[in-house]
Amino acid sequence: MHIAVVIQDRCQFKKCNYECRTYCPPVRMGTDTVVITEKGYPRIIEELCEGCGICAHKCPFEAVKIIGLPEELGEDLIHQYGENGFRLYRLPRIQKDKVVGILGPNGIGKSTAIKILSGTLIPNLGDYNAQGDWDKVIEFFSGTEMASYFAKIRDGEIKAVVKPQYVDKIPMVFKGKVKDLLKKADHSGRMDEIARMLNIENTLEREVDKISGGELQSVAIAAALLKEGDVYFFDEPSSYLDIYQRLNVARVIRELSSEKIVFVVEHDLAIMDFIADVIHIMYGSEGAYGIVSNVRNTRNAINSYLQGYLRDENIRFRDWRIEFVVHPPKRKSELPVLISWDYTEKKYRDFHLEVHPGEIRIGEVVGIVGPNATGKTTFVKILAGVIKPDRGGARDEIKVSYKPQYIKSEYDGTVEELLNFTLKEKMLNNFYRAEVLHPLRLKYLYNKEVKNLSGGEMQRLAIAIALGLDADLYLLDEPSAYLDSNERMIAAKVIRRYMENLGKSAMIVDHDVYFIDIIADSIMVFGGEPGRHGIARGPFSMRDGMNLFLKNVGITFRRDGDTNRPRINKPGSFNDRDQKSRGEYYYA
Ligand code: ADP
Ligand code: ADP
Ligand code: MG
């Protein structure tokens, strides 16, 4: 069986000569295998297509995919968005008393699966011209637990609650105070309790459009918890949250699973490891099709994911492994100093930041960790010269390129136009093209309108632009947000290699421990009292920095025997107590 997919947001039929049609062997023999629709998109008639793939090779925009799939998969088609649209095969299973994780790259159908399981989208079972019909779905699944589940969804006997992926959109649809938003969701009168659990009591009186991304995420999670439901879906609950908040949310979601059915989509693998009991990996081809794999235990699933290979299915979905080093890297102390700072202070009305003296070396990547609202962004802006400190500051004047945490663009035009406009001749630089644009897969975005980019696409663009500007120091604030696990590992490598090869330095603020592990040579640790008093120390070696940071957080990591990846120890377990007593929180 082969499927033909036309990825509409890549297809630029106005800029090509319909190579997909012109070069198609059956078309040349007079068969209408590829026809042009009224809108101008090519339409590939699968029944007539021989699967040679020449159209896919000839398309200048890589908008066509011809993919061979195992015959039996055809019976498991759950939903298809249009004739040459994205297809979803199989679904995650409903399991009680377990947190079920869904792990997979962006564009593979995770949100689609959630829409179906939550009853918002009636799957068409591949009959894309027909309206979805629950009765057909129930018949399709007859004899399985899914049939009775969907029957209850149809009859309104099961209520689903969804924490949506993009919390940034909430202020566009809700105007008013956090308290009012939560009251609307509060079916059980537990607002104060839930607000306390998620530490947002001080946010309740604030306007929804004035709170930070992390606060917005917490509010969205609180709203989901307040709603009375039977099955709960958390689509990327960790974006913008610091590690304390991530662990806290993980605990709250785990507790919920003792009473409710719970699904979680998450790209922070340390958190996914901690939160999920079992995991469905999703794989396939981004934008073309996605397959939900069998359920696995969490450790096994994440290891398979890092190795890029599913043993049971005998499927390789990545040709390289994501690897971790067991021993802390040596700090690059022999390298010359790029920038140093004296004891630095900045005071706002309610907030006081203190930064101990430190220095960054040329070629070094410094990871910056610590809770939200302890002054990380403020310090980064002081170094960038955007904010004047009350005392201290950088001793040297250097050129800084800065990617902010929240990236919005009002730019009216395509990605390619924005890149050319901002980076000019840098766009012709071979090293930049090969080491940044190519691995971040920017060319697939070139023709998209900047305004229409998804969160992960916007992040890739923002990283590419920040690296493309000439600077001595690159400051990237939460580059992992909205990237999938795979893209995070790629971005980490891109940034590292760029600094190493060009002899530049970087400071990376991030909350994903795996990301920090892969990207950083050294660590700066922020602590104190969020929103009131921030204290920053470092950069330290990875070992010292991780110990200081994780001691504050109160968690320890052990290493997985197969992949060396760090795994959060169960609080109070033997490893946890042993490592705490030895003061080795990370490199046990
Ligand atoms: P994920 O959550 O894994 O990132 P989604 O389920 O959001 O993936 O989307 C999977 C694919 O389905 C994407 O390539 C997207 O373009 C396509 N898709 C999603 N919604 C629609 C829709 N309403 N119409 C057509 N295609 C869609
Ligand atoms: P982080 O990056 O660690 O989350 P920030 O540096 O963004 O922290 O903010 C630290 C604290 O300083 C927050 O409580 C924030 O509200 C406050 N703050 C930041 N900028 C200003 C400002 N321009 N005026 C007043 N307070 C500010
Ligand atoms: Mg999604």
Side-chain angles (χ1 to χ4, degrees), residues 168-207:
D168 318 51
K169 296 201 175 123
I170 297 172
M172 295 174 210
V173 293
F174 184 91
K175 304 275 172 242
K177 288 185 177 172
V178 169
K179 193 173 69 183
D180 302 323
L181 186 150
L182 291 182
K183 271 200 184 129
K184 265 179 63 181
D186 191 4
H187 301 160
S188 50
R190 293 167 65 216
M191 185 171 86
D192 293 333
E193 179 197 337
I194 300 276
R196 210 175 317 117
M197 265 160 63
L198 294 174
N199 294 318
I200 49 170
E201 298 126 300
N202 299 332
T203 320
L204 294 177
E205 295 296 334
R206 307 213 358 238
E207 297 289 321

Side-chain angles (χ1 to χ4, degrees), residues 90-129:
R90 306 187 180 137
L91 279 177
R93 273 178 49 199
I94 300 292
Q95 297 203 43
K96 295 214 171 88
D97 307 326
K98 290 203 165 100
V99 175
V100 180
I102 303 175
L103 178 58
N106 283 331
I108 210 75
K110 299 181 300 299
S111 295
T112 301
I114 286 184
K115 280 184 197 141
I116 292 170
L117 290 173
S118 62
T120 347
L121 173 68
I122 308 178
N124 57 29
L125 306 170
D127 192 0
Y128 46 84
N129 288 320

Side-chain angles (χ1 to χ4, degrees), residues 7 9 81-82 85-87 104-113 115 165 235-236 265 282 286-288:
I7 300 179
D9 58 16
Y81 291 113
F86 178 86
R87 276 162 248 218
N106 283 331
I108 210 75
K110 299 181 300 299
S111 295
T112 301
K115 280 184 197 141
Q165 180 175 6
D235 199 347
E236 299 192 25
V265 173
M282 288 188 68
E286 176 190 332

Side-chain angles (χ1 to χ4, degrees), residues 291-435:
I291 301 174
V292 182
S293 77
N294 291 332
V295 73
R296 289 172 161 70
N297 75 46
T298 296
R299 170 174 180 258
N300 188 333
I302 295 181
N303 285 356
S304 302
Y305 198 66
L306 293 173
Q307 285 161 345
Y309 179 65
L310 300 181
R311 191 175 310 238
D312 296 354
E313 288 90 346
N314 190 21
I315 298 279
R316 175 158 295 288
F317 55 89
R318 195 189 315 108
D319 53 15
W320 50 282
R321 295 156 156 248
I322 296 170
E323 281 169 345
F324 294 87
V325 287
V326 188
H327 302 291
K330 278 221 167 58
R331 195 163 176 216
K332 297 177 171 166
S333 50
E334 74 285 2
L335 296 170
V337 172
L338 170 75
I339 187 174
S340 59
W341 56 89
D342 299 315
Y343 176 81
T344 297
E345 260 186 307
K346 176 77 195 173
K347 283 190 177 133
Y348 289 121
R349 197 167 59 94
D350 300 319
F351 182 75
H352 176 196
L353 172 65
E354 288 179 85
V355 185
H356 289 259
E359 62 192 24
I360 297 171
R361 289 167 191 276
I362 291 176
E364 185 174 44
V365 179
V366 181
I368 303 187
V369 293
N372 278 333
T374 50
K376 297 183 298 301
T377 306
T378 303
F379 178 61
V380 155
K381 286 185 177 163
I382 289 173
L383 285 188
V386 181
I387 294 179
K388 285 263 161 290
D390 300 320
R391 188 174 157 188
R395 286 195 207 121
D396 323 79
E397 208 165 290
I398 53 164
K399 210 165 162 193
V400 171
S401 171
Y402 171 56
K403 184 202 81 70
Q405 182 176 19
Y406 306 110
I407 35 181
K408 267 194 220 116
S409 180
E410 309 289 310
Y411 186 79
D412 201 10
T414 66
V415 168
E416 190 172 20
E417 286 160 2
L418 177 60
L419 280 167
N420 283 327
F421 171 76
T422 323
L423 301 182
K424 312 214 163 59
E425 62 273 21
K426 187 66 168 229
M427 288 298 288
L428 304 171
N429 179 306
N430 283 332
F431 182 77
Y432 176 72
R433 298 182 71 89
E435 292 289 328

